[in-house]
Amino acid sequence: MKIMVIDPITTKEWLPRNRAYFERIADEGTEVEVAFLEKGPKTIETFHDVVYAGPEILRIVRDRENETDAFIINCCSDPGLYAAREITDKVVLGPTETSMSVALHLGFKFSYISTLKKTAPRVRLQAIQLGLESRLASVVNVNITVSGLEEDPEKTVQAVVCAAEKAIDRDGAEVIMLGCTGMAELARMVRDRLNAPLIEPALVTFKMAELFVKIGLSHNRAPGKMYSLAEADKIVGYV
Amino acid sequence: MKIMVIDPITTKEWLPRNRAYFERIADEGTEVEVAFLEKGPKTIETFHDVVYAGPEILRIVRDRENETDAFIINCCSDPGLYAAREITDKVVLGPTETSMSVALHLGFKFSYISTLKKTAPRVRLQAIQLGLESRLASVVNVNITVSGLEEDPEKTVQAVVCAAEKAIDRDGAEVIMLGCTGMAELARMVRDRLNAPLIEPALVTFKMAELFVKIGLSHNRAPGKMYSLAEADKIVGYV
Amino acid sequence: MKIMVIDPITTKEWLPRNRAYFERIADEGTEVEVAFLEKGPKTIETFHDVVYAGPEILRIVRDRENETDAFIINCCSDPGLYAAREITDKVVLGPTETSMSVALHLGFKFSYISTLKKTAPRVRLQAIQLGLESRLASVVNVNITVSGLEEDPEKTVQAVVCAAEKAIDRDGAEVIMLGCTGMAELARMVRDRLNAPLIEPALVTFKMAELFVKIGLSHNRAPGKMYSLAEADKIVGYV
Amino acid sequence: MKIMVIDPITTKEWLPRNRAYFERIADEGTEVEVAFLEKGPKTIETFHDVVYAGPEILRIVRDRENETDAFIINCCSDPGLYAAREITDKVVLGPTETSMSVALHLGFKFSYISTLKKTAPRVRLQAIQLGLESRLASVVNVNITVSGLEEDPEKTVQAVVCAAEKAIDRDGAEVIMLGCTGMAELARMVRDRLNAPLIEPALVTFKMAELFVKIGLSHNRAPGKMYSLAEADKIVGYV
Amino acid sequence: MKIMVIDPITTKEWLPRNRAYFERIADEGTEVEVAFLEKGPKTIETFHDVVYAGPEILRIVRDRENETDAFIINCCSDPGLYAAREITDKVVLGPTETSMSVALHLGFKFSYISTLKKTAPRVRLQAIQLGLESRLASVVNVNITVSGLEEDPEKTVQAVVCAAEKAIDRDGAEVIMLGCTGMAELARMVRDRLNAPLIEPALVTFKMAELFVKIGLSHNRAPGKMYSLAEADKIVGYV
Amino acid sequence: MKIMVIDPITTKEWLPRNRAYFERIADEGTEVEVAFLEKGPKTIETFHDVVYAGPEILRIVRDRENETDAFIINCCSDPGLYAAREITDKVVLGPTETSMSVALHLGFKFSYISTLKKTAPRVRLQAIQLGLESRLASVVNVNITVSGLEEDPEKTVQAVVCAAEKAIDRDGAEVIMLGCTGMAELARMVRDRLNAPLIEPALVTFKMAELFVKIGLSHNRAPGKMYSLAEADKIVGYV
């Protein structure tokens, strides 16, 4: 089984560490590939950044689908998720869709720890789309940019723990979802200090992709359905 | 007042007719400009097409915002709507967001006449995001592609009227919303044959943009809000 | 075009100022007429007051519909709105229905600044009816009666700004809707002090009425629909 | 205990039969009084009719509250219900609010048998306000006016049974609610032919009023609450 | 009329006081019987306790249905409520289902005063099932176990009043529902100190059961419906 | 890793086939154990049956939790799911909770193929509790009892395929969820004839349990949370 992780950003210096992370969590027998974008945003923090990540995500899916069993779009905005499903029969998962549904099994309500305050409406809209808004206790931000998350890991961990405790004590959260895949490598440190289940979205999504491939489950792509085939040759000016 | 209509597709042969349409409906004193994309989809029918329309929409907004009072993104998928609001203080409206909210005033439930069957889930998700799903009676398709809408106008008009009547009789719709701005010029013929209010989204959205400019109302772009400023210089490889 | 503003109260001394306000905001070519009630409540603050405003609103609509293109029922309780639509083919708009739907375009959630605390449940019910409750961040009151709003304008403006800031900071509102058309003339002063879009309902509703008339859009009054014709001659004892 | 039934219409020839009905269902020791309006609609079928019923309903409540323990506003539009609660400490119930909540105990979903097709949106809005829309299977009409219900009782009974069976078989209803208190006296005949619980709203509401009085439960009328005191002296031109 | 109150716990020493309570509130002519469980939980505070109460509740219903007109399952978890309705044609009511629907008539939102903090998610799920979540202002606990409620009645009353006032002042509740039938006998003392309607669930449910029997209304038990007959002989190992 | 499958019924003759099924789908290194009940229902088709399955499910969880990493309660009613989570730190999953959340990733709406018509309200309530009702297209039954499913496998497969096609064509389902774990072994034959993703709940739930154990994720059992510890010694008369 081969799983392709698409990091929908251009900051390629994060590639080695990122690949190592996924290789560590992969099942024996799962091959991991990690791709970054040639063109697009350095990090994703806005609707604007999501727009610029889109075309390259789809190019990678199209280029690599023959040799891949499942794609993960490794950003909590789930950029291009529905579009990617329109151009491949392979499994395509996004961390927020996956994590929010997994949260249902772990406790009553979950909170989402975001990087910036501005993210909250986007997260609520994602939850509303999935029908899960009534299970979203709150979105609490740590006020650190994505690129700043790893500058001072200890400070980030403290900020995440503090936000999570606010979510638990003030908002009644029973489950904590990290709201940025850039927090993946710090998740273990957060988990040790937290008295609640912690969802690390990159981890959960990767394992779910393995699961879907193993049991042969994929998206409905019949004509007339949400993810039915998009005609690629309608696009002008993109290779 | 100057309003820029962005047709988020590359099919420039539609430009003259399109410009004529908006000039006809503009208030005296409103200047109209119409822009098509240099790169992107020929028409928009899928999530995939929306992705490829995005970067050029934002480029146009950025290039032209100094000389423009309001932008309309003239496609019922509302592509790039939230992202565009992040990069300009000017009004930016999309036809589905505008039309669905106007439908509230005209009758109890509305139906959306789409081109293709595949569109229905996307429309329901848009309604869910706005909180208006309980007012959406149904999505009924005419099974004609966007580019086919004007091939045989009489046939298209018949198909739209037939779909609308199904929505009214079978689904209890009291208001009909055309689900593609490519149906704009046929709207009058549809209206004449229909015993229900008909929302032509391009028309409604253009007039609403004039209204917003006139009364000086625009989106909240304060820090930490949904549409707060996106940093443009984070993007690599796009001009 | 002629628009009739129905102030559904008996406090006629507000007429000149009110007429001046609408004349100032009207498009060139729009004729404004303002009517107050002969019988009914001095101001509207309760369900009880709404009841007593109803018959006279309908009488005015019936008496004046021939010479009028659109009616505005100028009170945020939207008294008699649905009933008025049952007796005329002309456009009839109410400030809360209109403003809540316009708020959708300006930011994620909106708050409603009410006069009295008692108003909050009524406002929530209005939002629930429109399907927009998930976009209503809060209802915050200034604890000033309608008739007291203009006693000390500066104090009222301060109270409104203070309530709006509470809505923004505490409740996450991105858009502020004034909750009484009696605040119309103070809106400009509030706007200058507020870092968020401010919806003045009388203004928005009047301009929307102009828009509806211009593009020829009105309510569905076909038999069996929500606003189908009410039989006027079933009423006994009212002229 | 004394319960006042307000028939919010002017068709006083129905009074004797109506009084007999309530006297038959009253507990021993419950005194029944029935009042019709001096001014207002002959029957209630529209939002318009509701408006004209309002002032007289409130007059009766105000005039008679000293000698009364509970009021029933005996029409399925629940006209003036919230307003009446603002002017008396006594229990005030309306048949739709009461019946929809009782339906929760009898089966999964209920359907509402209305007189005219036009009624359906109003009923859905009532259910939405109460939060019970997900339990409303459908609104099915018999296409008979209120005043026509008793013209040919057997025909009405057949039409109601037929509509109820459609609701059960087609819409999955498990409980049937009659949608007009004018059907009260025919309810028994309907019940005999129907294989589902039948809610006769006048009956259920009257018995619930007795229950509330017996256990001393009434509405919250504290300052700032939904039903807090309305100032009666703000009304001009009504006695 | 005979009503059987099933106290779904094994703490039989509460029987005499409990029977006295119901006899005091019963209508003249209503015979009361109170049954406790032979096997099961001492008190009900968890989903776990609910499980162990179930088989005995059903045994009692089955054993006693011939001589009974209505059953009350006297615990706010409503244990076994739907199951009991599957095995008898008699009325079966549970205090939370009944009380939440009665709360609709008394004010805008209600709060639920629970014993332990852990109860809140269960209560929210009950409200969600009934469709009434939007009317549930909050769940506030007194942090006293069920068996501790009567240890120091004055302390319990104070804690309940304090929790109710928090619900009213902080959460906007207009109606207070006691969240444990073990608080029944203290309800009067709470009511005297509270400026809001207080729902004592055991009382309301008992009176509602009388009402249902009087007017001959019961659950839909036709084949294929929610409460259609369960086959008792499928059970192995229970008598 | 050891996973315990609890078949919450007493029909032990299904054990060998059932164990073989789970052994076939288990990851290498996962040990499977299958337990049936000593006492309880032969099959589960009603709320009543669920009640009688409960105590034994909890007994097995308690008896076996030391030697087990995760429990599956292998019935689509998810009997005792929340209660079991209150008495163990190990993962406990139920097929409907798991399958409904997995359905979110595969297409827009899903339908549930039930055995009997009576099941539909229970399924809707489960979806409502999870917040996923808006994604549930329909519940379609095959009108075969659980014990009848394997009597004529080909007939059952045909009935399931026919029900699924009705769900797809009539109700707009994009994903099909089998609504009984007794259909597990027939799933492959259904899948071959169906043009839509098919969720076999026993399979999905077992693999999800493996996933949760692998990544160390379990339910929140802190004090005051939904699944916090239930006191086992409060139970009388059960061993």
Side-chain angles (χ1 to χ4, degrees):
Chain A
M1 185 193 318
K2 183 164 166 188
I3 293 183
M4 159 80 70
V5 177
I6 301 175
D7 277 305
I9 54 173
T10 60
T11 314
K12 292 193 189 178
E13 51 269 35
W14 291 349
L15 194 150
R17 213 179 41 189
N18 212 337
R19 188 199 291 133
Y21 183 80
F22 285 106
E23 283 171 348
R24 202 163 56 237
I25 66 179
D27 267 20
E28 210 175 319
T30 301
E31 191 183 338
V32 178
E33 199 167 354
V34 177
F36 278 68
L37 308 188
E38 296 302 318
K39 301 165 53 173
K42 290 180 194 162
T43 62
I44 294 189
E45 289 164 322
T46 60
F47 295 103
H48 163 271
D49 298 343
V50 166
V51 162
Y52 284 102
E56 277 280 287
I57 293 170
L58 298 189
R59 183 192 56 76
I60 293 170
V61 170
R62 197 173 284 119
D63 285 359
R64 307 303 295 278
E65 74 155 331
N66 284 336
E67 55 197 285
T68 304
D69 293 295
F71 294 92
I72 290 171
I73 301 177
N74 194 32
C75 164
C76 285
S77 299
D78 289 359
L81 181 64
Y82 298 163
R85 287 172 179 166
E86 288 178 324
I87 60 170
T88 178
D89 284 328
K90 304 303 170 60
V91 171
V92 189
L93 295 180
T96 286
E97 187 187 272
T98 309
S99 301
M100 283 187 177
S101 86
V102 161
L104 282 180
H105 311 307
L106 301 174
F108 188 52
K109 296 205 175 190
F110 70 98
S111 283
Y112 182 108
I113 309 304
S114 72
T115 49
L116 303 177
K117 179 154 185 264
K118 172 183 172 47
T119 311
R122 193 210 74 215
V123 176
R124 291 218 163 265
L125 288 174
Q126 287 175 295
I128 286 170
Q129 279 202 348
L130 294 169
L132 299 176
E133 202 199 7
S134 66
R135 294 300 186 102
L136 175 57
S138 60
V139 183
V140 186
N141 72 83
V142 292
N143 201 22
I144 304 177
T145 62
V146 174
S147 65
L149 287 173
E150 307 237 332
E151 268 174 26
D152 182 344
E154 174 53 28
K155 193 188 131 207
T156 300
V157 168
Q158 273 181 27
V160 170
V161 170
C162 173
E165 282 169 352
K166 202 186 290 183
I168 293 168
D169 297 339
R170 187 193 61 187
D171 308 324
E174 302 201 351
V175 180
I176 299 300
M177 171 187 169
L178 296 181
C180 180
T181 53
M183 298 171 179
E185 285 157 87
L186 308 173
R188 213 173 320 181
M189 289 155 71
V190 174
R191 189 172 290 121
D192 290 347
R193 305 190 198 173
L194 206 65
N195 190 18
L198 183 76
I199 296 180
E200 195 289 276
L203 169 60
V204 162
T205 308
F206 188 91
K207 299 311 283 184
M208 199 76 108
E210 287 181 325
L211 187 159
F212 274 49
V213 172
K214 265 185 216 161
I215 67 177
L217 213 48
S218 194
H219 320 289
N220 188 335
R221 303 196 53 242
K225 300 301 177 197
M226 183 165 171
Y227 303 128
S228 69
L229 186 67
E231 292 175 44
D233 57 4
K234 276 175 53 184
I235 306 305
V236 173
Y238 285 86
V239 192
Chain B
M1 184 193 318
K2 181 164 165 188
I3 292 184
M4 160 79 71
V5 177
I6 301 175
D7 278 304
I9 54 173
T10 59
T11 313
K12 293 194 189 176
E13 51 269 34
W14 292 348
L15 194 151
R17 213 178 41 188
N18 212 338
R19 188 199 291 131
Y21 182 80
F22 285 105
E23 283 171 348
R24 202 163 56 237
I25 66 178
D27 266 21
E28 211 175 320
T30 300
E31 190 183 339
V32 177
E33 198 166 356
V34 176
F36 279 68
L37 307 189
E38 296 302 317
K39 300 165 54 174
K42 290 179 193 163
T43 62
I44 293 189
E45 289 164 323
T46 60
F47 294 103
H48 163 271
D49 298 343
V50 166
V51 162
Y52 285 102
E56 276 280 287
I57 294 169
L58 298 189
R59 183 192 57 75
I60 293 170
V61 170
R62 197 173 282 118
D63 285 359
R64 307 303 295 278
E65 74 154 331
N66 284 338
E67 55 197 285
T68 305
D69 293 295
F71 293 93
I72 290 171
I73 302 177
N74 192 33
C75 164
C76 285
S77 298
D78 288 1
L81 181 63
Y82 298 163
R85 287 172 179 166
E86 288 178 324
I87 60 170
T88 178
D89 284 328
K90 305 303 170 63
V91 170
V92 188
L93 295 180
T96 286
E97 187 186 272
T98 310
S99 301
M100 284 187 176
S101 85
V102 162
L104 282 180
H105 312 307
L106 301 174
F108 187 53
K109 296 205 175 188
F110 69 99
S111 283
Y112 182 109
I113 309 303
S114 72
T115 50
L116 303 178
K117 180 154 184 264
K118 173 183 171 48
T119 311
R122 193 211 73 215
V123 176
R124 291 217 162 266
L125 288 174
Q126 288 175 294
I128 286 170
Q129 278 202 348
L130 294 169
L132 299 176
E133 202 200 6
S134 66
R135 294 298 187 104
L136 175 57
S138 59
V139 183
V140 186
N141 72 83
V142 292
N143 199 23
I144 304 177
T145 61
V146 174
S147 65
L149 286 173
E150 307 237 331
E151 268 174 26
D152 181 344
E154 173 54 28
K155 193 189 130 205
T156 299
V157 168
Q158 273 181 30
V160 170
V161 170
C162 172
E165 283 169 351
K166 202 186 290 184
I168 293 168
D169 296 339
R170 187 193 60 187
D171 308 324
E174 302 201 350
V175 180
I176 299 299
M177 170 186 170
L178 295 181
C180 180
T181 53
M183 298 171 180
E185 284 156 89
L186 307 173
R188 211 172 321 182
M189 287 156 72
V190 174
R191 190 172 291 121
D192 290 347
R193 305 189 199 173
L194 207 64
N195 190 18
L198 182 76
I199 296 180
E200 196 288 277
L203 169 60
V204 162
T205 309
F206 188 90
K207 301 309 284 182
M208 198 77 108
E210 288 181 326
L211 187 159
F212 275 48
V213 172
K214 266 186 214 160
I215 67 177
L217 212 48
S218 194
H219 320 288
N220 189 335
R221 301 195 56 242
K225 301 301 178 197
M226 183 164 170
Y227 303 129
S228 70
L229 186 68
E231 293 175 43
D233 57 5
K234 276 175 53 184
I235 307 305
V236 172
Y238 285 85
V239 192
Chain C
M1 184 193 317
K2 181 163 166 189
I3 293 184
M4 160 79 70
V5 177
I6 302 174
D7 278 304
I9 54 175
T10 58
T11 315
K12 292 193 188 177
E13 51 269 36
W14 291 348
L15 194 151
R17 212 179 42 190
N18 212 338
R19 188 199 292 132
Y21 182 80
F22 285 105
E23 283 171 347
R24 201 163 58 238
I25 66 177
D27 267 20
E28 211 175 320
T30 301
E31 189 182 340
V32 178
E33 197 165 357
V34 176
F36 278 68
L37 307 189
E38 296 302 317
K39 301 165 52 176
K42 291 178 192 163
T43 62
I44 293 189
E45 290 165 321
T46 61
F47 295 103
H48 163 272
D49 297 343
V50 166
V51 161
Y52 285 102
E56 275 281 287
I57 294 170
L58 298 188
R59 183 193 56 76
I60 294 170
V61 170
R62 196 173 284 118
D63 284 358
R64 309 302 296 278
E65 74 155 332
N66 284 338
E67 54 197 284
T68 305
D69 294 293
F71 293 92
I72 291 171
I73 302 176
N74 193 34
C75 163
C76 285
S77 298
D78 289 359
L81 180 63
Y82 298 163
R85 287 172 179 166
E86 287 178 324
I87 59 169
T88 177
D89 285 327
K90 305 302 170 63
V91 171
V92 188
L93 295 181
T96 286
E97 188 187 270
T98 309
S99 300
M100 284 188 176
S101 86
V102 162
L104 280 181
H105 311 307
L106 301 174
F108 188 52
K109 296 205 175 189
F110 70 99
S111 282
Y112 182 108
I113 309 304
S114 72
T115 50
L116 302 178
K117 178 152 185 266
K118 172 183 172 47
T119 311
R122 192 210 74 215
V123 175
R124 292 217 162 266
L125 288 174
Q126 287 175 295
I128 286 170
Q129 278 202 348
L130 294 169
L132 298 175
E133 203 201 5
S134 65
R135 295 298 188 101
L136 175 57
S138 59
V139 182
V140 186
N141 72 83
V142 293
N143 201 22
I144 304 177
T145 62
V146 174
S147 65
L149 286 174
E150 308 237 332
E151 268 173 27
D152 181 344
E154 173 54 28
K155 192 189 131 206
T156 299
V157 168
Q158 274 180 29
V160 170
V161 170
C162 172
E165 282 169 352
K166 201 185 293 184
I168 293 168
D169 297 339
R170 186 193 62 187
D171 308 323
E174 303 201 350
V175 180
I176 299 300
M177 170 186 170
L178 296 181
C180 180
T181 53
M183 298 171 179
E185 283 156 271
L186 307 173
R188 212 172 321 180
M189 288 156 70
V190 175
R191 190 172 291 121
D192 290 347
R193 307 189 197 174
L194 206 65
N195 190 17
L198 182 76
I199 296 180
E200 196 288 275
L203 168 60
V204 162
T205 308
F206 188 91
K207 300 310 283 183
M208 199 75 109
E210 288 180 325
L211 187 160
F212 275 48
V213 172
K214 267 186 214 160
I215 66 177
L217 214 47
S218 193
H219 320 289
N220 189 335
R221 304 194 53 241
K225 302 300 179 196
M226 183 164 171
Y227 303 128
S228 70
L229 186 67
E231 292 175 44
D233 57 4
K234 278 175 52 184
I235 306 305
V236 173
Y238 285 86
V239 192
Chain D
M1 184 192 322
K2 181 163 166 189
I3 293 184
M4 160 81 69
V5 177
I6 302 175
D7 278 304
I9 54 175
T10 58
T11 314
K12 293 194 188 176
E13 51 269 37
W14 292 347
L15 195 150
R17 212 179 40 190
N18 213 338
R19 187 198 292 132
Y21 182 79
F22 285 106
E23 282 171 349
R24 202 164 55 237
I25 66 179
D27 267 21
E28 210 174 321
T30 302
E31 191 184 340
V32 178
E33 197 167 356
V34 177
F36 279 68
L37 308 188
E38 297 301 318
K39 299 165 54 175
K42 291 179 192 161
T43 62
I44 294 189
E45 289 164 321
T46 60
F47 295 103
H48 163 272
D49 298 343
V50 166
V51 162
Y52 285 102
E56 277 279 288
I57 294 170
L58 299 189
R59 182 191 57 77
I60 294 170
V61 171
R62 198 173 283 119
D63 285 359
R64 308 302 295 277
E65 75 156 328
N66 284 337
E67 55 198 286
T68 305
D69 294 293
F71 293 92
I72 291 170
I73 302 177
N74 193 32
C75 164
C76 285
S77 299
D78 289 359
L81 181 63
Y82 298 163
R85 288 173 179 166
E86 289 177 324
I87 59 170
T88 177
D89 284 328
K90 304 303 171 62
V91 171
V92 188
L93 295 180
T96 286
E97 187 186 271
T98 309
S99 300
M100 284 187 177
S101 86
V102 161
L104 281 180
H105 311 308
L106 301 173
F108 188 52
K109 297 205 175 190
F110 70 98
S111 283
Y112 181 109
I113 309 304
S114 72
T115 50
L116 303 177
K117 180 155 184 263
K118 172 184 173 46
T119 311
R122 193 211 75 214
V123 176
R124 292 217 162 268
L125 289 174
Q126 287 175 296
I128 286 170
Q129 279 201 348
L130 294 170
L132 298 177
E133 202 199 6
S134 65
R135 294 299 186 102
L136 175 56
S138 59
V139 183
V140 186
N141 72 84
V142 293
N143 200 23
I144 303 178
T145 61
V146 174
S147 65
L149 285 173
E150 307 238 333
E151 269 173 25
D152 180 344
E154 173 55 27
K155 192 187 131 207
T156 299
V157 168
Q158 273 181 30
V160 170
V161 170
C162 174
E165 282 170 352
K166 202 186 290 182
I168 293 168
D169 297 339
R170 186 192 63 187
D171 307 323
E174 303 201 350
V175 180
I176 299 300
M177 170 186 169
L178 295 181
C180 180
T181 52
M183 297 171 179
E185 283 157 89
L186 307 173
R188 211 173 322 182
M189 287 156 73
V190 174
R191 189 172 291 122
D192 290 347
R193 305 190 200 174
L194 207 63
N195 191 17
L198 182 76
I199 296 180
E200 197 287 277
L203 168 60
V204 163
T205 308
F206 187 91
K207 299 310 284 184
M208 199 76 108
E210 287 180 325
L211 187 159
F212 275 49
V213 172
K214 266 186 216 160
I215 67 177
L217 214 46
S218 193
H219 320 288
N220 188 335
R221 302 195 54 242
K225 301 303 178 195
M226 182 164 172
Y227 304 128
S228 69
L229 186 68
E231 291 174 44
D233 57 5
K234 277 175 52 184
I235 306 305
V236 173
Y238 285 85
V239 191
Chain E
M1 186 192 320
K2 180 163 166 190
I3 293 184
M4 160 80 70
V5 177
I6 302 174
D7 278 304
I9 54 173
T10 59
T11 313
K12 293 193 187 176
E13 51 270 35
W14 292 348
L15 194 150
R17 212 180 41 191
N18 213 339
R19 188 199 292 131
Y21 183 79
F22 286 105
E23 283 171 349
R24 201 164 57 238
I25 66 179
D27 266 23
E28 209 173 321
T30 301
E31 190 184 340
V32 178
E33 198 167 356
V34 177
F36 279 67
L37 308 189
E38 296 302 317
K39 301 165 53 174
K42 290 178 193 162
T43 63
I44 293 189
E45 289 164 322
T46 61
F47 295 103
H48 163 271
D49 297 344
V50 166
V51 162
Y52 284 103
E56 277 280 286
I57 294 170
L58 298 189
R59 182 191 58 76
I60 294 170
V61 171
R62 197 174 283 120
D63 285 359
R64 309 301 296 276
E65 75 155 330
N66 283 338
E67 55 198 283
T68 306
D69 293 295
F71 293 92
I72 291 171
I73 303 176
N74 193 33
C75 163
C76 285
S77 299
D78 288 359
L81 181 63
Y82 298 163
R85 287 172 179 166
E86 288 177 324
I87 59 170
T88 177
D89 284 329
K90 304 302 169 61
V91 171
V92 188
L93 295 180
T96 287
E97 188 187 271
T98 309
S99 300
M100 285 188 175
S101 87
V102 161
L104 282 179
H105 311 307
L106 301 174
F108 187 52
K109 296 204 175 190
F110 70 98
S111 283
Y112 182 109
I113 309 304
S114 72
T115 50
L116 302 177
K117 180 153 184 267
K118 172 185 173 46
T119 312
R122 193 209 74 215
V123 176
R124 292 217 162 266
L125 288 174
Q126 287 175 295
I128 286 170
Q129 279 202 349
L130 294 170
L132 299 176
E133 203 199 6
S134 65
R135 294 299 186 102
L136 175 57
S138 59
V139 183
V140 186
N141 72 82
V142 293
N143 200 23
I144 303 177
T145 61
V146 174
S147 65
L149 287 173
E150 308 237 333
E151 268 174 27
D152 180 345
E154 173 54 27
K155 192 187 131 206
T156 299
V157 168
Q158 273 182 29
V160 170
V161 170
C162 173
E165 282 169 352
K166 201 185 291 182
I168 293 168
D169 297 338
R170 185 192 63 187
D171 307 324
E174 303 201 350
V175 180
I176 298 300
M177 171 187 168
L178 295 181
C180 181
T181 51
M183 298 171 179
E185 282 155 271
L186 307 173
R188 212 173 322 182
M189 287 156 71
V190 174
R191 190 173 290 120
D192 290 346
R193 306 191 198 173
L194 207 64
N195 191 17
L198 181 77
I199 296 179
E200 196 288 276
L203 168 61
V204 163
T205 308
F206 187 91
K207 299 310 283 185
M208 198 76 108
E210 287 180 325
L211 187 159
F212 275 49
V213 172
K214 266 186 215 160
I215 67 178
L217 214 47
S218 193
H219 320 289
N220 188 335
R221 303 196 54 242
K225 301 301 178 196
M226 182 162 170
Y227 304 128
S228 70
L229 185 67
E231 293 175 42
D233 56 4
K234 276 175 54 186
I235 306 304
V236 173
Y238 285 85
V239 191
Chain F
M1 185 192 318
K2 181 163 166 190
I3 293 184
M4 160 80 70
V5 177
I6 301 175
D7 278 304
I9 54 176
T10 58
T11 315
K12 294 194 187 176
E13 50 270 34
W14 291 348
L15 194 151
R17 213 179 42 190
N18 213 338
R19 188 199 291 132
Y21 183 80
F22 285 105
E23 283 171 349
R24 201 163 57 239
I25 66 178
D27 267 21
E28 211 175 319
T30 302
E31 191 183 338
V32 178
E33 198 166 356
V34 176
F36 279 67
L37 308 189
E38 297 302 317
K39 299 164 55 174
K42 291 178 194 165
T43 63
I44 294 188
E45 289 165 320
T46 61
F47 295 103
H48 162 272
D49 298 342
V50 166
V51 162
Y52 284 102
E56 276 281 287
I57 293 170
L58 299 188
R59 182 193 56 77
I60 294 170
V61 170
R62 197 173 283 119
D63 285 358
R64 308 302 295 277
E65 74 155 330
N66 284 337
E67 53 198 287
T68 305
D69 294 293
F71 293 92
I72 291 172
I73 302 177
N74 192 34
C75 164
C76 286
S77 299
D78 289 0
L81 181 64
Y82 299 163
R85 287 173 179 166
E86 288 178 323
I87 60 170
T88 177
D89 285 328
K90 305 303 170 63
V91 171
V92 189
L93 296 180
T96 285
E97 187 187 271
T98 309
S99 301
M100 284 187 176
S101 86
V102 161
L104 281 180
H105 311 307
L106 300 174
F108 187 52
K109 296 205 174 188
F110 70 98
S111 282
Y112 182 109
I113 310 303
S114 73
T115 50
L116 303 177
K117 180 156 185 264
K118 174 183 171 46
T119 311
R122 193 211 74 215
V123 176
R124 291 217 162 267
L125 288 173
Q126 287 175 295
I128 286 169
Q129 278 201 349
L130 294 169
L132 298 176
E133 203 200 5
S134 66
R135 294 298 187 103
L136 175 57
S138 59
V139 182
V140 186
N141 72 82
V142 292
N143 200 23
I144 303 177
T145 61
V146 174
S147 65
L149 286 174
E150 307 238 331
E151 268 174 26
D152 182 344
E154 173 54 27
K155 193 188 130 206
T156 300
V157 168
Q158 273 181 29
V160 170
V161 170
C162 174
E165 283 170 352
K166 202 185 291 182
I168 293 168
D169 297 338
R170 186 193 62 187
D171 308 323
E174 302 202 351
V175 179
I176 299 300
M177 171 186 169
L178 296 181
C180 180
T181 52
M183 298 171 179
E185 283 155 89
L186 307 173
R188 211 173 320 182
M189 288 156 72
V190 174
R191 191 173 289 121
D192 290 347
R193 306 189 198 173
L194 206 64
N195 191 18
L198 182 76
I199 296 180
E200 196 289 277
L203 169 60
V204 162
T205 308
F206 187 92
K207 300 309 285 184
M208 199 76 109
E210 287 181 325
L211 187 159
F212 275 49
V213 173
K214 267 186 215 161
I215 67 178
L217 213 49
S218 193
H219 320 289
N220 189 335
R221 302 194 56 240
K225 302 302 179 195
M226 183 164 171
Y227 303 128
S228 70
L229 187 66
E231 292 175 45
D233 58 3
K234 277 174 52 184
I235 307 303
V236 173
Y238 285 85
V239 191

